[in-house]
Amino acid sequence: TIVNKYNSNCLKMLKVIEIENIKGIDNRKFSLNILPNRPSLLVAPNGFGKSSFAVAFKEMNTRRINLTEENFHKTNPALQPRIYIEYERPDLSLAQLEATATTNTICKEIDHFVINNPIRPKGVGNQFGRATARMEINDIVLVDRIPENVNFGNQYKLVQQRFGKNAKVLPSLSSFLSNLKIVQKLSENYQALEKANGMKIQSRINSIINEINDQNGTADILTDWITAYKLNDLKKIDFLNTLGNLINEFNLSCNLETKSYLVAIQLIWLYNNSPNKFKAACSYKNYQSDKNRFEQTLSNFNSTWKGIRARQIGGQLIVKFPEAIHISNGQRDILTFISMLFRARKHLKKEVSILIIDEVFDYLDDANLIAAQYYITTFIKDFKKEGKRLYPIILTHLNPIYFKNFAFNNQKVYFL
């Protein structure tokens, strides 16, 4: 039944996680067989070591495990930390990876990210001989480095000259390159843009352009002629058809497939004239798209008078929160969770990723719990759509029935 339901993914399991000498864990082996792209609940009572499990991954960087002093096991720095992982690669071979205080083979194959509570107490002095403190919410850095604002550049005259006599048939690129969704798709197809500039492909394109330049008439007449006599030839050209179909999906060309292919030809020339500049421009546009999407999501939950939003500060995109007393607990929890989930999406780039959510769900009210489940479910679907494997691990002390609803209807539970 599992094979039929999950197809090939069911065999590509995260089989074992073993942790040694990290915070409250001395040596524990978790034989889990976690399936990709579905919520996995690791249920255990308080004091079992869930937070130590999360700390192990949070303290692991790309080179090693770098424990802070408070996370040494038994406060003893001589006890060497270790994380060991077994998982099945796409070819179903078993990978055995580990990280220590000096080495890390895990991060060569697997990205990881930990979401936990960013609230901390801060001492503010003493009053009448008693120490006082307040709760603060740590700033959340969404983007570590905002890309440089690079434009694609106006090369329309150069394109016209290259096309020739009937360049008037070419649609302007401005409306296409200002569309953030199209730019996102183009940035996923740099290989097609590069390969479409090969000599054989350009020779076929130039042959069709020469035939277009032999015709007479207005731009509309020329477009109709191309549709009738040359569109099928254009659609048979490898990589050009990839880009033409991509553009045509957005219906920005008066529903004319022909114009999409004429735009694709220009994009190939524009990219190969300066690939680095084109990629830099895409990078900034993608940043704008991500920022807009996040701000819209944030505004859906942000009813506080404090006006919580993402701000560009020192070359970073940061969410700054007010003091905890100025925002409700439920709103604070869902806003911080969504912010951290956005950061996770920017961080998890490899084909295989582990996302650990440390007891964040345990303190959400019912409405915000459903909202959080919706966003993590969407997060999982995005990875699955891209053909990637995400292992979402949710650490909780609650009864798993509490999570069982429409959003997490395919959850898998592990009682530790």
Side-chain angles (χ1 to χ4, degrees):
T1 302
I2 292 177
V3 171
N4 290 336
K5 185 173 182 180
Y6 296 104
N7 298 323
S8 60
N9 270 342
C10 72
L11 298 175
K12 299 169 186 176
M13 294 184 289
L14 177 59
K15 298 179 73 64
V16 172
I17 296 175
E18 187 173 352
I19 298 173
E20 295 180 20
N21 295 327
I22 297 177
K23 200 174 180 180
I25 295 179
D26 50 4
N27 188 334
R28 285 195 179 172
K29 181 178 181 179
F30 304 91
S31 299
L32 300 169
N33 290 334
I34 295 177
L35 296 173
N37 301 327
R38 63 185 295 194
S40 295
L41 305 180
L42 271 60
V43 183
N46 287 329
F48 178 84
K50 297 188 299 296
S51 293
S52 298
F53 185 102
V55 163
F57 284 88
K58 196 172 183 69
E59 300 275 73
M60 178 174 63
N61 59 36
T62 56
R63 292 175 296 175
R64 63 192 183 100
I65 303 172
N66 186 23
L67 288 182
T68 51
E69 185 176 348
E70 65 269 22
N71 291 321
F72 292 139
H73 181 57
K74 295 182 178 180
T75 68
N76 185 355
L79 297 175
Q80 293 298 299
R82 176 177 176 263
I83 304 173
Y84 170 80
I85 285 178
E86 287 182 11
Y87 88 101
E88 292 173 320
R89 293 190 176 104
D91 63 1
L92 301 186
S93 64
L94 185 65
Q96 297 176 310
L97 312 172
E98 74 169 9
T100 68
T102 57
T103 63
N104 189 349
T105 59
I106 295 173
C107 287
K108 291 180 179 180
E109 295 191 33
I110 302 174
D111 276 337
H112 68 281
F113 193 87
V114 178
I115 298 177
N116 49 20
N117 197 330
I119 302 168
R120 60 183 174 86
K122 180 179 181 181
V124 293
N126 62 71
Q127 186 176 20
F128 305 116
R130 292 179 299 174
T132 60
R134 65 169 182 261
M135 301 302 294
E136 285 194 346
I137 308 172
N138 290 337
D139 296 344
I140 297 176
V141 179
L142 301 176
V143 177
D144 292 305
R145 181 176 172 272
I146 297 173
E148 183 183 356
N149 186 356
V150 176
N151 294 317
F152 287 99
N154 184 4
Q155 301 189 49
Y156 191 61
K157 288 186 178 179
L158 294 177
V159 170
Q160 287 181 313
Q161 291 172 2
R162 181 169 177 175
F163 193 91
K165 168 190 165 186
N166 283 329
K168 59 190 172 185
V169 77
L170 296 175
S172 171
L173 289 181
S174 58
S175 62
F176 296 90
L177 293 178
S178 62
N179 186 299
L180 297 180
K181 291 183 179 180
I182 288 180
V183 173
Q184 173 65 45
K185 287 291 186 180
L186 289 174
S187 65
E188 297 168 2
N189 285 275
Y190 292 141
Q191 186 178 43
L193 286 162
E194 181 179 346
K195 289 186 176 295
N197 199 50
M199 290 183 61
K200 290 183 178 180
I201 291 176
Q202 283 298 306
S203 176
R204 293 174 65 185
I205 292 173
N206 288 333
S207 176
I208 293 172
I209 289 174
N210 290 336
E211 292 185 66
I212 295 171
N213 284 326
D214 287 338
Q215 309 306 310
N216 295 306
T218 64
D220 287 342
I221 290 173
L222 291 170
T223 301
D224 290 341
W225 183 85
I226 297 170
T227 302
Y229 298 105
K230 290 298 159 187
L231 179 58
N232 284 335
D233 292 338
L234 291 170
K235 292 169 71 172
K236 293 176 183 177
I237 300 176
D238 290 339
F239 303 110
L240 175 64
N241 52 24
T242 300
L243 300 165
N245 292 336
L246 183 157
I247 298 298
N248 193 53
E249 288 177 5
F250 291 89
N251 288 325
L252 296 184
S253 316
C254 301
N255 296 317
L256 282 177
E257 194 174 9
T258 299
K259 288 189 177 181
S260 297
Y261 275 80
L262 294 173
V263 167
I265 291 171
Q266 296 178 77
L267 289 172
I268 293 165
W269 293 347
L270 180 63
Y271 172 85
N272 287 283
N273 183 55
S274 179
N276 289 337
K277 182 177 180 180
F278 191 98
K279 290 178 180 178
C282 284
S283 180
Y284 185 74
K285 290 286 188 182
N286 290 338
Y287 160 73
Q288 288 183 308
S289 179
D290 289 341
K291 182 174 182 287
N292 292 344
R293 190 182 310 115
F294 175 77
E295 288 183 337
Q296 179 59 50
T297 302
L298 199 64
S299 69
N300 291 338
F301 291 91
N302 184 18
S303 58
T304 178
W305 59 275
K306 281 291 184 177
I308 303 167
R309 61 185 180 86
R311 295 177 173 87
Q312 296 182 185
I313 302 173
Q316 297 179 315
L317 185 65
I318 298 175
V319 178
K320 297 185 75 69
F321 290 90
E323 293 180 25
I325 60 172
H326 292 149
I327 182 173
S328 73
N329 292 343
Q331 189 176 44
R332 172 200 68 202
D333 291 340
I334 191 65
L335 288 176
T336 54
F337 175 73
I338 291 171
S339 300
M340 292 296 289
L341 200 60
F342 179 90
R343 179 167 173 77
R345 190 67 181 92
K346 302 296 292 182
H347 184 82
L348 301 176
K349 299 293 186 182
K350 290 187 172 67
E351 294 301 309
V352 179
S353 296
I354 297 173
L355 175 66
I356 297 174
I357 302 174
D358 181 21
E359 293 196 330
V360 173
F361 283 12
D362 293 8
Y363 304 102
L364 295 174
D365 59 46
D366 289 351
N368 282 322
L369 175 65
I370 292 175
Q373 288 180 326
Y374 165 77
Y375 282 105
I376 188 63
T377 301
T378 302
F379 192 87
I380 293 169
K381 286 180 179 177
D382 288 343
F383 273 78
K384 190 173 183 180
K385 185 177 180 181
E386 294 171 13
K388 296 180 178 180
R389 281 186 284 159
L390 176 70
Y391 298 97
I393 299 174
I394 299 167
L395 305 172
T396 182
H397 62 257
L398 298 180
N399 187 324
I401 294 175
Y402 185 60
F403 297 88
K404 191 76 173 178
N405 57 45
F406 76 96
F408 273 17
N409 58 7
N410 69 332
Q411 69 187 38
K412 187 175 179 182
V413 179
Y414 304 83
F415 292 97
L416 301 183

